[in-house]
Amino acid sequence: MGYPGRTMLAKIWDQHVIAQVSDDTDLLHVDRHLLHDLGGSRGLLDLKNRGLKVHNPELTFATPDHAISTARGRAGMTKIGLDLLAALRTETAASGIHMFDVDQPGQGIVHVIGPELGLSLPGSLIVCGDSHTCTHGGLGALAFGIGSSELTHVLATQALIQRRPKTMRVRFEGERPPGVTAKDMILALIGHVGAAGGTGHAVEYAGSAVRGLSIEERLTICNLSIELGAKIGMVAPDETTYAFLHGRRYAPKGVLWDRAVAEWRSLASDPDAVFDKDVLIDLSSLVPQVTWGISPEHVIGVTGRIPDPQAIDDAVQRTAVETALHYMGLKGGEPILGTPIDWVFIGSCTNSRLSDLRAAAGVARGRKVAPTVCAWVVPGSETVKRDAMAEGLDKIFMEAGFEWREPGCSMCLAANGETVAPGQRSVSTSNRNFVGRQGPGARTHLASPASAAAAAIAGAIADVRALER
Amino acid sequence: MPKPFDKLTAIAAPIMRSNIDTDVIIRIERLVGNNARGTLGKWAFGALRYLSDGSENPEFILNREPFRQAEILITGPNFGCGSSREGAVWSLQEMGIRAVIGSSFGDIFFANCFQNGILPIVIDSEIVDALASEVEVTQGAGRISIDLKAQSITAPTGQQYRFEIDPRRREGLLQGLDEVALTLVRDPEIRAFQAADRAARPWIHFASKTA
């Protein structure tokens, strides 16, 4: 006795230590390795060039998402997208890795399909060559993005050398006001702690408001962990988690399910666990959020005013705001509400799951997209697409004037020719409003699916609360 | 295998904006081919470095002498945040950058630097600012020296600063170690772990031909 409690991070981390490499660095076992079209075949080719074989192909899964076209029937495939798809097919087949191919259930954005297939399990260690791998932490997994060299390392060894991060707990408390979604919660947090507020930390999201979230909402929260600098975000598994996972394709079955759940119940941080950083966010006065600048930390309530550089004393801060306003073509001190827009993008690993599409369709139903706006809905996976169509969501969107597309990353990172034109303004449900992220010169405002749908209807940045019924 | 890093005396260029993300360091479409490596140097910081007509932006520091020859970047906080793309590090490397000095870095970018023999130095923001202003005062003529073994930076004025670095990573850079090869030596430990784990958490392990 007398030992302080352990955090969920420590419990999961320790269970994966193959060997200690130095005081704070370990060789960890990787339970699930997800590959996508952008880096997957390159990693497999690197491995081949070194004369090595994939250590555990049965723990490795692949799907094309980043560079494939999301045009109906994949009509817009680029040469590079086709080449990457072909290479992913050839190299996964040669290595005995299962690939969820185009038009098959299981294809989709890697961070959508992992949870959907039950590949992402509580207590598992998941990596992928993509920074938004932190998404899977919504199910209580220890999941993080890696670079190309680390990807090759995992293919060769099924292990990874990692330094143990510090821990940060974020408690969301209070009742969520109308119109405030999981996306608004996490954007508000990033605005509060800054884009580097979580650097070097694994973030555990806790508090009554998080316990009350669905798994899809928890995935959205964890997805943006990287945007506050943390490469890991996680939520302790609970009954909501088990209900979500039960019966999924790769989730354990029968006796194994019972054993797994018993184990997962022990993963939550102990009540007396100590975190290196603790943050409390009170939701009760929160309003829908929208970004105005070129970092996710450049966020305000939709009824708020864009920061005025003249009012900022610190010279460095003032220059940063001026640079962002210049790129975004906005004036400091003005309300953001009513800013005219050209594009709406509903999709990405942040907000392309069924519940996101339902929320957007709820706003779009019986209304029309403004004639000046081009609005796309890109489901996160083939399964999301089929489920949404079974509910008639595609019809609601199309009747309102949205374009209904095939699953993929699409306009979130614009790796496939799907871009917002220079100078055009987009409200997007994705995760990054970086300079040029949605295409050179594109201006991106991040918001929730419901807020994005409201903007599409209004033809301008809008307060979704005025449209919700 | 990464190139070993030991000592470096070089021109340093300050790029002091905060939150310079890896999308800004290298755009995704420069990375989507399998043959992109070797062509990335000219695309590093593309959005800042070139005007919309493709010509060089004379305002951007890396387009000016002597900063064109810079091998060290002095950066604002949270440099390299965002995407995991290792192409960000490759593009810096291909334009000749061997060390980056800042008060904080994106975690994945930071790890990617070590994989490629680039030294990222985390040091107090006051020291970063001091180094940047000394470089600016001398219009880039004042060189910065980095000694990884001694864990020290020498400013143009001769002022020395010590920096901290994970000893394992320091050793890796000094020797240009290949992590994959080092881990493969431990394969018996990996397989022993998997055998025990298969009994403890069978739901994690699917039927394996390789074990």
Side-chain angles (χ1 to χ4, degrees):
Chain A
M1 296 301 283
Y3 291 106
R6 297 166 74 214
T7 60
M8 176 165 54
L9 176 85
K11 292 182 190 184
I12 302 177
W13 187 282
D14 290 348
Q15 199 166 24
H16 288 84
V17 175
I18 296 165
Q20 193 177 11
V21 175
S22 71
D23 278 357
D24 56 359
T25 302
D26 297 301
L27 181 66
L28 299 175
H29 186 258
V30 172
D31 298 337
R32 299 282 181 268
H33 186 193
L34 305 175
L35 300 177
H36 55 73
D37 48 355
L38 214 54
S41 56
R42 179 156 42 201
L44 289 165
L45 287 164
D46 280 353
L47 201 67
K48 202 153 71 174
N49 290 339
R50 297 177 65 128
L52 297 168
K53 282 201 159 57
V54 179
H55 199 279
N56 289 90
E58 80 286 2
L59 302 181
T60 313
F61 295 85
T63 192
D65 57 4
H66 281 67
I68 54 167
S69 166
T70 64
R72 293 298 284 274
R74 310 279 181 200
M77 285 302 286
T78 58
K79 166 83 167 67
I80 276 177
L82 281 168
D83 288 351
L84 287 174
L85 178 59
L88 191 65
R89 281 178 180 147
T90 310
E91 297 310 320
T92 52
S95 303
I97 291 167
H98 188 85
M99 167 172 157
F100 301 98
D101 210 333
V102 171
D103 298 332
Q104 290 176 8
Q107 185 270 328
I109 305 174
V110 280
H111 312 311
V112 175
I113 68 158
E116 176 182 284
L117 292 165
L119 281 170
S120 315
L121 297 173
S124 62
L125 194 148
I126 305 171
V127 300
C128 171
D130 186 283
S131 61
H132 290 105
T133 309
C134 48
T135 311
H136 308 260
L139 285 161
L142 171 51
F144 51 90
I146 55 177
S148 307
S149 300
E150 289 183 324
L151 190 158
T152 302
H153 188 281
V154 175
L155 287 173
T157 66
Q158 201 56 35
L160 199 57
I161 299 167
Q162 289 289 302
R163 190 173 190 180
R164 188 190 290 244
K166 288 183 277 189
T167 56
M168 171 171 166
R169 178 171 57 186
V170 176
R171 284 178 299 144
F172 286 101
E173 299 286 357
E175 187 97 4
R176 239 196 306 171
V180 173
T181 69
K183 179 67 160 292
D184 301 301
M185 290 166 63
I186 187 68
L187 283 175
L189 172 69
I190 297 167
H192 182 67
V193 302
T199 303
H201 291 74
V203 178
E204 181 176 340
Y205 301 99
S208 60
V210 169
R211 298 263 65 86
L213 294 176
S214 71
I215 293 304
E216 297 200 343
E217 290 171 318
R218 294 179 192 181
L219 295 170
T220 297
I221 299 251
C222 288
N223 176 268
L224 274 97
S225 301
I226 187 79
E227 312 312 337
L228 57 104
K231 68 177 185 178
I232 298 167
M234 53 207 327
V235 175
D238 58 11
E239 297 308 317
T240 308
T241 318
Y242 314 140
F244 175 91
L245 285 171
H246 190 256
R248 292 194 183 256
R249 183 161 157 192
Y250 289 92
K253 311 265 177 331
V255 218
L256 271 193
W257 170 261
D258 297 336
R259 260 184 76 185
V261 172
E263 157 95 22
W264 296 340
R265 284 188 199 287
S266 67
L267 293 177
S269 292
D270 295 330
D272 56 343
V274 177
F275 293 80
D276 297 302
K277 245 187 195 182
D278 234 312
V279 176
L280 178 70
I281 302 279
D282 177 19
L283 293 183
S284 47
S285 59
L286 205 63
V287 301
Q289 303 283 301
V290 63
T291 62
W292 57 266
I294 54 172
S295 159
E297 72 179 24
H298 294 156
V299 67
I300 51 176
V302 71
T303 48
R305 280 175 189 277
I306 300 161
D308 182 359
Q310 305 308 319
I312 300 169
D313 290 336
D314 181 79
V316 175
Q317 284 290 330
R318 187 168 57 241
T319 309
V321 169
E322 280 166 352
T323 304
L325 290 177
H326 177 74
Y327 181 78
M328 292 299 287
L330 294 171
K331 265 188 82 182
E334 309 227 307
I336 195 147
L337 205 61
T339 307
I341 61 160
D342 311 290
W343 268 96
V344 164
F345 169 65
I346 296 173
S348 87
C349 57
T350 314
N351 280 129
S352 64
R353 288 171 280 268
L354 189 59
S355 57
D356 298 314
L357 303 194
R358 282 179 184 152
V363 173
R365 184 163 39 87
R367 297 192 170 113
K368 291 285 179 201
V369 171
T372 50
V373 173
C374 186
W376 283 11
V377 181
V378 184
S381 71
E382 184 65 27
T383 301
V384 168
K385 179 182 119 185
R386 292 182 189 192
D387 289 352
M389 289 171 81
E391 291 183 14
L393 300 184
D394 58 327
K395 290 205 176 58
I396 294 175
F397 284 122
M398 287 189 285
E399 274 162 24
F402 287 85
E403 192 169 321
W404 176 254
R405 297 180 65 96
E406 306 284 358
C409 297
S410 186
M411 212 176 255
C412 171
L413 81 165
N416 42 18
E418 295 170 9
T419 57
V420 172
Q424 291 210 330
R425 190 177 299 285
S426 169
V427 174
S428 298
T429 66
S430 48
N431 35 55
R432 289 185 174 143
N433 51 349
F434 294 165
V435 166
R437 174 74 177 182
Q438 292 197 278
R443 295 164 168 163
T444 301
H445 297 267
L446 305 176
S448 75
S451 292
I457 307 298
I461 292 175
D463 189 342
V464 65
R465 293 172 298 181
L467 289 187
E468 281 187 329
R469 16 194 179 205
Chain B
M1 267 202 3
K3 198 173 140 193
F5 187 108
D6 177 10
K7 282 181 189 169
L8 172 69
T9 297
I11 291 164
I15 303 181
M16 300 306 289
R17 279 166 62 167
S18 57
N19 302 326
I20 292 184
D21 56 77
T22 52
D23 278 68
V24 163
I25 299 172
I26 187 83
R27 292 190 53 78
I28 194 73
E29 60 264 33
R30 306 295 175 201
L31 301 172
V32 285
N34 272 331
N35 304 314
R37 282 196 80 169
T39 68
L40 300 175
K42 66 174 173 186
W43 298 121
F45 298 109
L48 305 172
R49 208 158 142 204
Y50 303 108
L51 299 171
S52 51
D53 66 357
S55 65
E56 280 190 358
N57 176 4
E59 299 289 302
F60 188 57
I61 188 160
L62 295 177
N63 288 335
R64 296 202 308 263
E65 294 294 349
F67 299 109
R68 236 180 239 284
Q69 272 75 53
E71 292 175 70
I72 299 170
L73 291 180
I74 306 172
T75 65
N78 207 24
F79 185 85
C81 61
S83 161
S84 61
R85 61 188 68 166
E86 200 159 312
V89 173
W90 300 338
S91 71
L92 295 182
Q93 193 171 40
E94 288 178 20
M95 76 178 298
I97 301 301
R98 300 186 57 206
V100 192
I101 303 171
S103 60
S104 63
F105 293 93
D107 284 342
I108 306 175
F109 172 85
F110 189 72
N112 286 342
C113 282
F114 289 100
Q115 298 286 350
N116 292 280
I118 286 192
L119 170 63
I121 297 177
V122 179
I123 202 159
D124 284 352
S125 58
E126 292 79 23
I127 298 173
V128 177
D129 292 346
L131 290 170
S133 60
E134 284 183 38
V135 165
E136 275 159 9
V137 162
T138 60
Q139 294 289 302
R143 296 186 172 214
I144 285 183
S145 295
I146 297 170
D147 184 336
L148 178 56
K149 239 180 218 153
Q151 296 179 222
S152 73
I153 303 174
T154 309
T157 53
Q159 171 82 40
Q160 281 204 349
Y161 305 100
R162 198 185 144 75
F163 64 89
E164 296 303 317
I165 182 169
D166 174 11
R168 189 188 64 86
R169 282 175 151 159
R170 174 173 166 267
E171 203 58 24
L173 278 181
L174 286 169
Q175 298 185 32
L177 294 179
D178 176 1
E179 245 179 27
V180 173
L182 288 177
T183 302
L184 280 172
V185 173
R186 311 187 87 139
D187 197 45
E189 289 172 77
I190 296 171
R191 289 182 190 274
F193 175 94
Q194 290 186 325
D197 198 49
R198 221 169 267 126
R201 300 184 309 150
W203 56 88
I204 292 296
H205 302 268
F206 304 114
S208 169
K209 281 175 269 172
T210 54

